[in-house]
Amino acid sequence: MYGLWTRDTGCLALKKKQEVKNKDFQNRSSYHRVIKSVIFITGLGGIVGQLILIRELMITFYGNELTWGLVLASWLVFEAAGSFTVSHVKYFKNSSLYIIFIILYALFLPLALYFSRSIDVYLFHILPGETAGLFQLFISSLILVGPVSFVHGSLFPLAAEALSEVKTESLSFGIGPAYIWETAGTLTGGVMFTLVLARFFHSFQIGMGIILLHLIGGLILLGIYYPDYKKLKLIFLSIFCILFVSGIFLTNIIQDKTLEHQFSGQNVVFYENTAYGNIVVTREREEHTFYYDGRPLFTDPAYDLGGVADFVHLSLTAHQKPKNILVLGGGIGGIINEVVGHQPESITYVELDGRLPEITQKLPLSLVPRELALPQVNVIQADARFYLRQTEKKYDLVIIGFLEPETLQTNRLFTREFFSLAADRLKEQGLMAFSLPGSLTYLGTELASYSRTMQLTAEDVFQQVSVIPGERSIYLASNSSFELNPQLLWNRMENRGLQDNFMSPGYLEYRLSQERQEWFLGELQEGRGEINSDLRPVGFFQALNYWGRTFAPRLQEYLFRLQQYSEVEFLGGLIVLCVLVIILIRLFFFKKSRVLIYAVGTTGMCALAFDLLILFVFQTLFGFIYQMMGLLLAAYMGGMAGGAALEPYFSNRVSAPDKLFKSLEAVIILLLGLFFGLVLIMQQLAGTGQTAVLIMSFTIFAVLSGGVTGMEFPAAARIRESTGRKEESTKIRAGLLYGADLLGGWLAGILISLLMFPLLGLKMTLLFLASLKVISLLFLFMGE
Amino acid sequence: MKLIRKKWIIILCLVGVSAVVIFYHLEGSRSRPQELDNMLSGATPAAEGDVELVEAMFYESLSDNSVQCSLCFRNCVIPEGERGFCRNRENKEGKLYTLVYGQASAVHVDPVEKEPIHHFLPGESMLCIGTASCNFRCKFCHNWHMSQRSIEELNIREYMPPKKVVSRAQNHGLPAISFTYNEPTVFYEYMYDTAREAQKEGLKVIFHTNGSLNPEPLRKLLPYIDGVTVDLKGFEDSYYREMTQGELDTVLETLQIIEEKDVWLEIVNLVLPGLNDDPETVRDMSRWIIDNLDSKTPVHFSRFFPSYKMQDLSPTPVGTIEQLAQIAKNEGLKFVSIGNVPGHRLNSTFCDNCGSRIINRHHFTVRNLKIDDEGKCMDCGHEIPGVWR
């Protein structure tokens, strides 16, 4: 990703010199400053473009962390390809290419945005409401992200060349400042996106801003390189003015149009990106459906009465006299309406995204405003885990609304740690209740494993756990004993005046039948269950597995088979694979460089791993990555840039280039361990009110880890120059190292999001990465 | 150069071998369960309790050892060693075998109302059976856990030959057996034999189908069937193709044959918003039912909720369902109900003569019956068609 620019700093410093033909601006340092401002713009445009594309793709394609990993990996591949390709172009003037690519980025980004909402329809003929699968996601991310990131990747070497053309010194003079200014733009863009853009503007408004900025950049460059091309400048200026004037109007039209495609056949009446996700409301006849990150959340007023009432009434009648109820997430749109029928004294509804209940007040809804206006209902905008840690209140029932551990954000409500928090907030005889996908007919192994994992996780905390099988299975857990006798539950319903709903003694007999219960428990034994925890989000993996059964059955089968291996076996297998890779490198590459290539590749893996794991762990502990993504990514990239910029300083202070390199390898291993320790501390402190401090700690770590990994590439380039074949050109040298770094990052993007973090957890993932670095350090010490 | 070429060859060989090993290992044993292997190796059917290899009905041998199945509208031509589209019928040495005979992956007791079949033993429960796979690929399938898997992918706990199914129902004191969950067409032979056995024992038999059986097998089966629920998923061929990979005409023909054979018939239409909820289409469908079947054929309009591959579609507005139900009634259909909207007035059944609520139904629960065993409305004595005992 942006690490690629860090890599460029080292290797393109050794690139060919290009004669500057236009001696008129050769010594005009003012043009140097102006070009730097263009570089700043492209840096800003790059990070913002990436973030809005990721955000849109997450909405279109089932927004979970797998989407991030795939999109980031795609961006990385094409960005490097762009940088590598353009550096080999000989027959065009750098200045022309630079202007063209700036304009191309301004063109490709809005196109990518436009099609991100409908690519599944155009490419794969996905029907309205049909969910696209993993293959569609993968191909779409390549097609959408590819051209944009390819073009953006091309900009850096062109920028560096442009800077260096102003003076006649070596190219390295251009790369350093270009990198620094681009990173400054990146950082600024990341912060702006987090604090302002994401909250107040939709994607097309942001995209329009990027277009305008790049047009300015193009105009500036035209002024420098082609001062006599007045007509062209006039065209640029005209386009800029038209877009500037019509921008708001035009972007809103495109926004509405693309939403129509995305929600084909429905009437979109509300759209907003909050700090936590995307909310869209559609209206059909008298009903409003709320979508959150592209998935239907609830329908007002006609919610799924069968499902909601079933869950609520079975849960509440399992308790003798529930007075104080806590609903965590997913409460509005039916659950509260049903809970109130049991006449509790209080219903506390905790919702992470405070905009959700606020928005319901602005629309002509009939059910939800009524729910929220009930005197016994108290709405609290907070993270559920934070609330449970902070509150001293105790409850008769803690209900987790219709959420599933299908993202890291929601998985954190289904972990052992969370269940412990919930248990502490229960009164005596108190119950915790949640529901997950189930079946009354047949449980496949993926659903059995999913259910078993949740059952085991609850059993790890609570003394009694009962599961009522259904289209959605209901999990009831308590540290006191409770009974699920149909007659007892019916009596309680009658006592609470609820005998007129669709429940009846016969219905309860059917739902709580002993035969069904035995069948279900028997099916669960076929599943592979493990305890779901914060740092080993197996629940998330199982949910992904379940989703995969629908949308990528073949891949799901392979993933499922991987579960039969223990952590140690899996880790061992991966390490054996790495050793095989080393053997391959040994056979193929010139011997003095083979270890270096392996080291650079594994550092590329660690670089993206740090990037992703920081985001994933932040999501797990705090749950609001949507907003903070820009800041964390920018911090990491800033660190990488800083590291690359500081590399010459450290290199000059060591006797041999490989000493610095070995030191950096060792530091990376230490950082992997430090990260784990930091996360353990964060886990204890998250939700205790130290949020700002914890976020700052994460950010500092992101800068630190980025700095170390960023410093390694130019160090590797330096070693390569001194130890490589004399006849090897700089371009080829750069390409080898580049390719290794790229491959490492790409592998990390796929493996970590899909497999390692969900299945092995944080500890084993870090152990694996540390093993890779230990192997490379050993080889370095063994010498060639 | 030579050295580089040798290295490349070694590398490619290593990568290729590794890929094959990994692939083979991950593929695992995708072979059939041992029982199936035994069956297909020609093991003879043995004593009760053993897995039986059953030759399929309704197929024709072709030259070169291929066969053509003629069970459903697809009429698959199946080369030796291959299976049909339904994945349940395999050609072995020029003979077609069913792979799911007795392989009940789901055996449960469910209320009759859940089928849904409203004019059939209201308030009773029945033994429901399903096996594996389907000859459609509906994107909104409710039972995809079974219907979109082949037999090898399911855990079959118990071999249940027809007699065992019947005795299971009798042991539970159940009056009826239903072939449901996945499409019964694809386990035709199992259904056929079980239905015959059940009829001998005085049990009623129904099945819930997508209506894709060919006429001949359907006519052969119907004498042993007491009721059929047919999913009329839409009334446009394009909808059938895009959403189910099925065919409308076959379904319409099936409906007509069932009507012709005077077997009790009810129709279910699952309404997906924006996809098959056009009022004019429903009007055409209603007219067709009246003209080709009977105005007294019960029709159920079911509300859609996100399911299987249709996770991002909003639920059907209740107003839409009500509008479509009203259109059907206006066109002349006598018994129109609404499903998946618990508590709705049209969960119940009303006398088409006096309008009295003869079956007070709330979701799957029957609260009150005002119809006698003869099927007469207790208020006006009007005869209501159906199977009441």
Side-chain angles (χ1 to χ4, degrees):
Chain A
M1 197 169 43
Y2 293 90
L4 302 173
W5 302 331
T6 310
R7 308 323 185 217
D8 269 316
T9 307
C11 71
L12 289 180
L14 309 170
K15 212 183 151 192
K16 59 173 169 53
K17 260 189 187 175
Q18 198 170 355
E19 283 190 13
V20 177
K21 293 193 176 166
N22 190 346
K23 293 191 187 293
D24 285 342
F25 64 80
Q26 204 169 351
N27 293 315
R28 293 196 289 205
S29 62
S30 60
Y31 288 118
H32 212 251
R33 284 196 293 275
V34 165
I35 292 172
K36 283 177 191 172
S37 66
V38 175
I39 296 169
F40 180 89
I41 286 169
T42 58
L44 192 150
I47 182 71
V48 172
Q50 187 187 72
L51 290 169
I52 50 178
L53 261 182
I54 288 177
R55 191 171 72 171
E56 288 297 328
L57 285 172
M58 281 181 72
I59 296 166
T60 304
F61 286 106
Y62 189 89
N64 65 11
E65 287 74 8
L66 174 62
T67 317
W68 293 353
L70 282 176
V71 175
L72 279 177
S74 302
W75 188 281
L76 178 78
V77 166
F78 284 98
E79 177 111 3
S83 193
F84 188 75
T85 306
V86 88
S87 64
H88 286 69
V89 169
K90 294 176 191 172
Y91 303 110
F92 293 94
K93 279 171 71 174
N94 187 76
S95 53
S96 310
L97 273 181
Y98 195 17
I99 296 171
I100 290 169
F101 274 82
I102 280 180
I103 300 309
L104 277 180
Y105 183 77
L107 181 64
F108 283 170
L109 178 65
L111 280 176
L113 280 176
Y114 182 86
F115 286 108
S116 67
R117 293 183 178 178
S118 53
I119 188 168
D120 50 349
V121 175
Y122 290 127
L123 265 188
F124 306 108
H125 306 293
I126 301 281
L127 295 172
E130 186 180 353
T131 307
L134 187 63
F135 176 72
Q136 286 92 343
L137 163 61
F138 181 66
I139 299 295
S140 300
S141 69
L142 289 179
I143 293 173
L144 285 173
V145 167
V148 181
S149 53
F150 184 93
V151 165
H152 195 264
S154 309
L155 289 174
F156 178 76
L158 294 171
E161 184 90 353
L163 274 183
S164 72
E165 280 176 350
V166 176
K167 304 276 180 175
T168 55
E169 288 165 27
S170 78
L171 204 64
S172 62
F173 184 80
I175 292 174
Y179 194 76
I180 289 165
W181 279 94
E182 184 161 72
T183 306
T186 304
L187 280 166
T188 307
V191 172
M192 273 177 64
F193 182 83
T194 301
L195 297 178
V196 179
L197 299 177
R199 302 189 69 173
F200 298 108
F201 300 99
H202 60 69
S203 299
F204 293 99
Q205 287 169 333
I206 299 172
M208 179 59 76
I210 304 290
I211 295 173
L212 293 174
L213 277 178
H214 280 67
L215 280 174
I216 292 172
L219 208 51
I220 292 171
L221 291 176
L222 265 182
I224 295 173
Y225 291 118
Y226 302 101
D228 300 328
Y229 281 49
K230 292 195 168 65
K231 268 191 190 168
L232 199 53
K233 281 193 272 188
L234 197 60
I235 292 171
F236 262 67
L237 202 54
S238 307
I239 295 172
F240 178 86
C241 291
I242 292 168
L243 289 177
F244 185 78
V245 166
S246 63
I248 292 174
F249 177 67
L250 200 60
T251 54
N252 286 340
I253 290 177
I254 297 172
Q255 163 81 344
D256 292 342
K257 201 79 188 156
T258 51
L259 282 179
E260 264 179 44
H261 283 312
Q262 197 170 32
F263 293 91
S264 174
Q266 300 181 69
N267 179 23
V268 175
V269 298
F270 187 87
Y271 177 97
E272 182 173 311
N273 287 309
T274 74
Y276 305 97
N278 169 264
I279 299 175
V280 172
V281 184
T282 63
R283 183 191 166 107
E284 175 117 11
R285 291 177 180 266
E286 69 291 342
E287 291 181 12
H288 290 81
T289 299
F290 276 64
Y291 288 79
Y292 202 85
D293 285 343
R295 312 289 305 285
L297 190 62
F298 65 84
T299 299
D300 179 301
Y303 55 92
D304 176 11
L305 179 61
V308 173
D310 193 74
F311 172 49
V312 170
H313 296 317
L314 286 173
S315 302
L316 265 72
T317 48
H319 190 285
Q320 189 181 5
K321 204 175 170 73
K323 288 186 194 171
N324 307 108
I325 318 278
L326 174 63
V327 181
L328 299 171
I332 49 175
I335 286 182
I336 290 176
N337 192 52
E338 295 299 321
V339 167
V340 117
H342 291 256
Q343 299 152 30
E345 287 174 7
S346 71
I347 304 171
T348 305
Y349 169 47
V350 176
E351 173 59 58
L352 175 65
D353 193 341
R355 283 296 291 154
L356 204 49
E358 284 170 11
I359 288 163
T360 61
Q361 308 291 344
K362 292 185 177 183
L363 296 169
L365 309 180
S366 47
L367 169 72
V368 176
R370 212 171 58 232
E371 283 181 318
L372 297 177
L374 290 165
Q376 61 267 61
V377 173
N378 178 29
V379 180
I380 295 174
Q381 192 269 308
D383 172 67
R385 287 176 76 128
F386 180 83
Y387 179 76
L388 287 179
R389 278 184 192 262
Q390 295 283 300
T391 188
E392 288 175 5
K393 289 186 186 166
K394 294 223 176 200
Y395 297 92
D396 296 299
L397 241 107
V398 173
I399 298 176
I400 302 174
F402 281 135
L403 300 171
E404 293 170 33
E406 54 191 0
T407 67
L408 284 173
Q409 185 175 355
T410 49
N411 180 72
R412 52 204 290 278
L413 304 187
F414 295 93
T415 60
R416 163 176 46 198
E417 292 85 354
F418 183 80
F419 287 170
S420 296
L421 287 175
D424 289 343
R425 300 267 60 86
L426 287 173
K427 292 182 190 173
E428 206 173 321
Q429 309 295 327
L431 278 167
M432 185 185 74
F434 60 93
S435 84
L436 290 174
S439 174
L440 278 171
T441 56
Y442 179 82
L443 254 61
T445 39
E446 74 290 335
L447 185 54
S449 298
Y450 191 4
S451 307
R452 181 100 178 107
T453 291
M454 288 302 130
Q455 184 193 37
L456 286 175
T457 306
E459 283 177 350
D460 192 60
V461 175
F462 294 97
Q463 286 178 16
Q464 181 181 346
V465 176
S466 293
V467 187
I468 304 172
E471 296 306 324
R472 285 189 69 88
S473 299
I474 300 170
Y475 296 73
L476 298 172
S478 177
N479 279 324
S480 308
S481 63
F482 60 93
E483 226 183 310
L484 289 177
N485 176 278
Q487 191 56 50
L488 173 65
L489 265 55
W490 177 248
N491 291 342
R492 287 175 179 167
M493 288 196 78
E494 278 187 315
N495 292 341
R496 298 172 197 177
L498 290 168
Q499 63 272 25
D500 288 332
N501 71 23
F502 71 84
M503 300 239 171
S504 67
Y507 179 82
L508 288 173
E509 291 278 355
Y510 168 66
R511 287 294 282 116
L512 300 172
S513 96
Q514 191 62 28
E515 199 174 334
R516 213 74 175 237
Q517 186 75 11
E518 283 167 8
W519 162 77
F520 184 78
L521 291 175
E523 294 290 293
L524 284 196
Q525 300 310 314
E526 294 296 317
R528 239 177 262 289
E530 296 176 82
I531 293 175
N532 186 28
S533 69
D534 284 346
L535 298 184
R536 188 156 181 259
V538 180
F540 168 60
F541 180 80
Q542 298 291 5
L544 210 60
N545 206 20
Y546 179 68
W547 172 82
R549 181 66 227 180
T550 311
F551 300 105
R554 201 59 183 253
L555 174 67
Q556 180 271 331
E557 281 179 36
Y558 293 143
L559 289 181
F560 194 71
R561 288 205 184 94
L562 287 173
Q563 279 191 279
Q564 69 186 314
Y565 301 108
S566 70
E567 290 175 9
V568 173
E569 285 169 341
F570 197 81
L571 197 61
L574 283 174
I575 291 173
V576 164
L577 209 62
C578 290
V579 170
L580 284 174
V581 169
I582 296 171
I583 293 171
L584 278 176
I585 294 170
R586 183 192 175 94
L587 284 174
F588 182 60
F589 291 107
F590 181 55
K591 66 178 180 182
K592 282 188 180 176
S593 67
R594 60 181 178 267
V595 175
L596 198 64
I597 290 183
Y598 171 76
V600 167
T602 51
T603 298
M605 279 191 81
C606 290
L608 197 59
F610 275 128
D611 210 354
L612 286 175
L613 290 173
I614 287 170
L615 295 178
F616 289 167
V617 173
F618 190 93
Q619 177 80 309
T620 299
L621 296 182
F622 299 104
F624 52 99
I625 195 63
Y626 201 70
Q627 183 186 23
M628 298 301 295
M629 198 193 298
L631 184 63
L632 287 173
L633 279 176
Y636 185 78
M637 287 179 281
M640 286 184 111
L646 286 171
E647 187 272 338
Y649 172 80
F650 285 101
S651 278
N652 292 339
R653 279 158 177 74
V654 296
S655 53
D658 61 335
K659 272 195 179 164
L660 175 63
F661 193 83
K662 285 173 193 167
S663 307
L664 290 171
E665 290 277 285
V667 171
I668 289 174
I669 296 168
L670 287 172
L671 278 177
L672 289 166
L674 181 64
F675 183 61
F676 187 66
L678 186 65
V679 169
L680 287 178
I681 296 169
M682 297 263 189
Q683 217 184 357
Q684 298 305 313
L685 297 178
T688 59
Q690 310 284 341
T691 309
V693 171
L694 298 175
I695 292 171
M696 191 53 60
S697 308
F698 254 115
T699 311
I700 291 170
F701 187 86
V703 172
L704 196 60
S705 52
V708 173
T709 50
M711 200 180 288
E712 227 194 53
F713 193 89
R718 209 179 285 278
I719 296 172
R720 181 79 185 186
E721 192 186 9
S722 62
T723 59
R725 287 194 187 109
K726 299 255 183 286
E727 67 275 18
E728 187 181 70
S729 72
T730 306
K731 268 190 289 192
I732 292 172
R733 202 172 294 148
L736 272 174
L737 292 174
Y738 223 47
D741 179 56
L742 149 72
L743 186 64
W746 188 78
L747 276 173
I750 303 290
L751 282 179
I752 287 176
S753 5
L754 184 61
L755 206 63
M756 299 192 66
F757 185 62
L759 189 59
L760 295 184
L762 181 69
K763 187 174 71 177
M764 297 306 264
T765 302
L766 292 173
L767 199 57
F768 168 69
L769 293 167
S771 308
L772 296 183
K773 295 316 291 175
V774 164
I775 292 171
S776 76
L777 192 57
L778 279 173
F779 270 109
L780 283 168
F781 273 110
M782 278 160 60
E784 299 298 336
Chain B
M1 254 340 241
K2 276 187 187 172
L3 189 62
I4 292 171
R5 219 179 293 145
K6 269 190 193 167
K7 284 181 182 173
W8 267 115
I9 291 167
I10 294 168
I11 288 162
L12 285 170
C13 287
L14 273 174
V15 169
V17 167
S18 306
V20 167
V21 166
I22 290 169
F23 180 74
Y24 182 77
H25 185 64
L26 281 179
E27 275 288 283
S29 174
R30 284 181 66 82
S31 61
R32 295 173 281 260
Q34 192 56 44
E35 293 84 357
L36 270 172
D37 271 338
N38 290 342
M39 286 187 341
L40 291 163
S41 67
T44 52
E48 187 177 343
D50 285 357
V51 174
E52 222 177 307
L53 176 66
V54 172
E55 190 175 346
M57 298 161 77
F58 300 103
Y59 77 95
E60 187 187 329
S61 294
L62 305 174
S63 59
D64 75 338
N65 261 355
S66 297
V67 299
Q68 181 163 31
C69 176
S70 52
L71 188 63
C72 80
F73 73 105
R74 295 193 187 277
N75 297 310
C76 299
V77 172
I78 308 170
E80 191 183 352
E82 302 284 321
R83 298 185 188 181
F85 183 90
C86 67
R87 299 180 284 209
N88 280 357
R89 297 158 90 73
E90 183 166 316
N91 176 353
K92 181 165 169 64
E93 294 171 2
K95 283 191 173 181
L96 190 63
Y97 294 93
T98 169
L99 302 178
V100 292
Y101 194 95
Q103 307 287 332
S105 64
V107 183
H108 299 292
V109 177
D110 283 334
V112 163
E113 276 68 25
K114 207 176 167 211
E115 198 55 48
I117 188 164
H118 284 187
H119 290 223
F120 192 96
L121 306 180
E124 294 282 356
S125 294
M126 54 190 178
L127 189 73
C128 298
I129 306 265
T131 61
S133 203
C134 185
N135 61 349
F136 275 24
R137 299 287 184 264
C138 301
K139 293 182 178 179
F140 44 81
C141 184
H142 197 61
N143 286 316
W144 63 269
H145 302 97
M146 297 161 57
S147 72
Q148 303 305 311
R149 280 189 226 246
S150 58
I151 188 68
E152 296 86 356
E153 295 173 294
L154 301 182
N155 289 322
I156 308 296
R157 298 198 180 286
E158 192 185 354
Y159 177 60
M160 284 197 77
K163 284 194 168 141
K164 199 167 179 179
V165 173
V166 173
S167 66
R168 179 74 59 92
Q170 288 171 320
N171 292 344
H172 277 82
L174 301 168
I177 293 170
S178 170
F179 301 101
T180 181
Y181 303 143
N182 67 310
E183 172 53 40
T185 301
V186 303
F187 55 96
Y188 179 87
E189 293 78 8
Y190 184 31
M191 174 171 56
Y192 179 79
D193 288 350
T194 308
R196 283 174 46 175
E197 196 62 39
Q199 198 182 63
K200 277 190 227 168
E201 299 295 323
L203 296 177
K204 300 248 183 274
V205 178
I206 66 172
F207 69 101
H208 189 153
T209 177
N210 58 23
S212 59
L213 261 176
N214 277 337
E216 196 188 337
L218 178 61
R219 287 194 171 96
K220 189 177 170 78
L221 175 68
L222 286 176
Y224 306 104
I225 300 295
D226 300 285
V228 188
T229 302
V230 176
D231 287 327
L232 184 53
K233 300 179 194 277
F235 209 65
E236 286 170 328
D237 209 48
S238 57
Y239 178 83
Y240 258 89
R241 274 198 313 276
E242 279 174 8
M243 294 298 289
T244 75
Q245 294 188 42
E247 202 179 81
L248 174 62
D249 287 344
T250 310
V251 180
L252 298 180
E253 191 178 6
T254 295
L255 289 168
Q256 286 174 305
I257 293 171
I258 296 169
E259 180 65 25
E260 162 203 314
K261 289 291 182 190
D262 204 28
V263 173
W264 182 249
L265 169 66
E266 298 196 19
I267 293 172
V268 178
N269 178 241
L270 178 67
V271 182
L272 275 70
L275 292 170
N276 70 339
D277 60 350
D278 175 49
E280 281 309 309
T281 309
V282 171
R283 189 166 281 120
D284 292 342
M285 181 180 87
S286 305
R287 283 188 193 138
W288 187 93
I289 293 170
I290 291 167
D291 294 342
N292 294 276
L293 306 177
D294 192 324
S295 63
K296 294 194 176 186
T297 303
V299 176
H300 310 260
F301 290 98
S302 276
R303 188 184 185 199
F304 163 82
F305 285 97
S307 175
Y308 191 36
K309 296 189 177 185
M310 303 300 291
Q311 304 269 354
D312 295 341
L313 188 63
S314 63
T316 319
V318 175
T320 300
I321 303 267
E322 288 172 339
Q323 181 196 20
L324 301 182
Q326 192 57 50
I327 288 172
K329 279 204 245 177
N330 291 345
E331 288 301 313
L333 286 171
K334 302 293 184 195
F335 299 106
V336 178
S337 66
I338 283 177
N340 287 345
V341 186
H344 196 281
R345 186 176 165 272
L346 289 184
N347 286 172
S348 298
T349 302
F350 296 85
C351 175
D352 60 316
N353 183 46
C354 66
S356 170
R357 193 188 295 234
I358 51 175
I359 305 175
N360 186 354
R361 201 181 285 110
H362 197 132
H363 205 34
F364 302 147
T365 307
V366 171
R367 292 193 164 159
N368 193 23
L369 281 174
K370 285 173 78 178
I371 183 166
D372 63 25
D373 286 351
E374 307 294 319
K376 289 185 179 155
C377 169
M378 284 181 177
D379 282 348
C380 68
H382 179 67
E383 198 168 318
I384 311 293
V387 177
W388 306 110
R389 60 186 169 127

